[in-house]
Amino acid sequence: MECKEGKPREDVDTGVQAAPPFWLRIVLRAALLALVGLAAEAFLTQDWPEFRHKLRETQPTTGYAIETTATKAAPAVNHPVTEVSPTAPITVDMIASPLRSVADQPAALQLTTIPAGATFAVYPGIIADKAVPASAPLRTGIAPGTAEDLRGGNYTIFFHKEGWPDSRTEVQLQAGEVRPVEYAFFHGEVTITSVPNGAEILCGTVSLGFTPLTVALPAGNQVLTARLKNYPDHTQNVAVNENATPTIEFQMRARRHLARAKPTPPPSLIGKVGDSLKHLFGGSPTPPPRRKR
């Protein structure tokens, strides 16, 4: 078909597809956007929660690492790994130290003496000799007192108190045991009074206290001395035994003061001069005393 020059024909088949009109392109884009919106809404409401859950499972779990230094290389052991939620508390299992055996548990002795205040020395084993060994003791102290950190076994305890004969005893101690030991020196009790009260009583050089009092004394014959201000010391002997409690009374007597005659003082120098002047100037001398017939 022929066409006039300068006027193209639309129905001419040139082999190239013509572009759609502008309004058709607007409609197609709007329809595409509507479809995309519907698909996005369906994805967000149905598939997004499951997708988010799978995404969290694929992420590595958080936790805490404890760095330790191993002294020996240990064989590799595959332990199952337990997943820990980030919000859950983390629990660390502490490995308890092994318990000590009964034989290794320390023991102790709680020592008291009658009378109190004696010193003690603890030696290992049974010592046949009554004298204190020259070696150093395991524990020392003053009763009442405690000897700690001992092992199970036999022990010999030596006691010493000023004014008393030295003594000893033997004990058997079990591991982990706290054993009370009360030791009484061989003694008896004596009740002591004085007139007046308040006198200090001494046994040798050791002060026992002030009257009235009841004290424990070593068995046997003892010498007691009562001492009170402004009174002379008074001494008595007493036989002490464990089957009786004797009573001793000190009668304190005051010191006697003897009256002494005062000597006639010699005449003074002024008196001598006055007598001389009276004699020179004719003063009558003092008549001599008359004798009684």
Side-chain angles (χ1 to χ4, degrees):
M1 174 178 282
E2 295 180 2
C3 59
K4 295 181 180 181
E5 185 178 359
K7 295 182 179 180
R9 295 282 306 270
E10 295 181 0
D11 55 350
V12 177
D13 188 6
T14 59
V16 180
Q17 187 178 359
F22 176 75
W23 62 270
L24 182 59
R25 286 181 291 175
I26 295 300
V27 171
L28 292 177
R29 289 180 180 179
L32 180 60
L33 290 177
L35 293 176
V36 172
L38 293 176
E41 181 180 2
F43 175 77
L44 292 176
T45 56
Q46 297 180 5
D47 298 335
W48 173 250
E50 182 178 359
F51 175 76
R52 183 177 57 182
H53 180 69
K54 290 183 179 181
L55 182 62
R56 287 182 177 180
E57 290 182 351
T58 56
Q59 292 179 354
T61 58
T62 60
Y64 300 91
I66 300 176
E67 182 178 356
T68 58
T69 303
T71 56
K72 294 184 179 180
V77 180
N78 294 326
H79 296 284
V81 179
T82 304
E83 295 184 358
V84 182
S85 175
T87 58
I90 297 177
T91 303
V92 180
D93 294 332
M94 303 299 295
I95 301 177
S97 59
L99 298 177
R100 301 176 62 181
S101 62
V102 178
D104 294 337
Q105 293 182 359
L109 293 171
Q110 294 180 343
L111 301 169
T112 56
T113 59
I114 301 176
T119 60
F120 62 84
V122 181
Y123 289 86
I126 302 299
I127 301 176
D129 192 1
K130 294 184 178 181
V132 180
S135 59
L138 294 177
R139 301 290 183 272
T140 59
I142 300 177
T146 304
E148 299 178 338
D149 295 333
L150 299 174
R151 294 181 175 272
N154 296 322
Y155 293 90
T156 302
I157 309 172
F158 289 85
F159 297 96
H160 172 76
K161 184 173 177 61
E162 187 68 25
W164 294 74
D166 293 342
S167 189
R168 62 193 290 280
T169 187
E170 300 168 358
V171 295
Q172 185 177 9
L173 189 62
Q174 303 295 330
E177 178 186 10
V178 179
R179 181 174 179 178
V181 177
E182 181 178 304
Y183 184 82
F185 288 87
F186 186 64
H187 69 285
E189 290 187 348
V190 178
T191 300
I192 307 172
T193 61
S194 67
V195 180
N197 289 330
E200 183 182 12
I201 305 301
L202 297 95
C203 182
T205 59
V206 179
S207 177
L208 304 178
F210 297 86
T211 59
L213 76 162
T214 299
V215 293
L217 294 176
N221 294 324
Q222 304 296 334
V223 179
L224 302 181
T225 302
R227 181 174 296 170
L228 186 63
K229 187 178 181 181
N230 299 328
Y231 291 86
D233 293 350
H234 191 42
T235 301
Q236 288 192 43
N237 295 329
V238 58
V240 181
N241 61 76
E242 59 181 352
N243 299 322
T245 304
T247 299
I248 300 177
E249 184 179 70
F250 287 90
Q251 293 288 340
M252 309 302 293
R253 298 178 180 178
R255 294 183 175 91
R256 294 182 178 180
H257 297 281
L258 298 178
R260 296 181 181 179
K262 295 182 179 180
T264 303
S268 62
L269 179 62
I270 297 177
K272 292 181 180 181
V273 172
D275 291 340
S276 301
L277 291 176
K278 289 179 180 180
H279 181 70
L280 291 175
F281 292 102
S284 59
T286 304
R290 295 180 180 181
R291 295 182 182 179
K292 293 182 180 181
R293 295 180 180 179

